[in-house]
Amino acid sequence: MNEENRKIIWSLIQKKGDSLKEKLKPHPHHPKGRNPYAHICSIIKNSFNLSYKDIGDEKIEELIIFIKNIRD
């Protein structure tokens, strides 16, 4: 993915992560609270089998729709 698209995707991840703050269930491995941005990135990695940075530019629209459809 090129640098411009990475910035677009990271911005979307931040917005979605902001909407998840204080909403993620507590977990014993995260005593100080869960990181909503890492949570979004892990959902992307589990679904696409790649880090968001490694997804090709040809799939950016699919990734944008995917991020927007992650439930709050």
Side-chain angles (χ1 to χ4, degrees):
M1 180 179 300
N2 67 41
E3 191 64 30
E4 183 180 331
N5 286 341
R6 281 185 201 168
K7 288 179 182 180
I8 291 168
I9 295 301
W10 181 246
S11 176
L12 288 172
I13 290 170
Q14 287 178 312
K15 287 179 187 176
K16 185 56 79 168
D18 289 343
S19 73
L20 290 176
K21 282 185 180 176
E22 309 295 325
K23 292 182 181 177
L24 295 174
K25 293 180 182 179
H27 192 276
H29 292 126
H30 306 282
K32 294 181 180 179
R34 294 174 63 192
N35 180 336
Y37 313 108
H39 181 71
I40 299 299
C41 290
S42 70
I43 291 172
I44 292 169
K45 191 165 187 169
N46 288 336
S47 295
F48 288 84
N49 294 320
L50 294 168
S51 163
Y52 79 93
K53 294 177 184 179
D54 296 328
I55 295 172
D57 290 316
E58 69 280 357
K59 290 192 174 190
I60 190 165
E61 289 300 321
E62 181 182 348
L63 183 54
I64 289 170
I65 292 168
F66 179 81
I67 294 168
K68 289 181 178 180
N69 288 323
I70 294 172
R71 293 186 326 163
D72 288 344

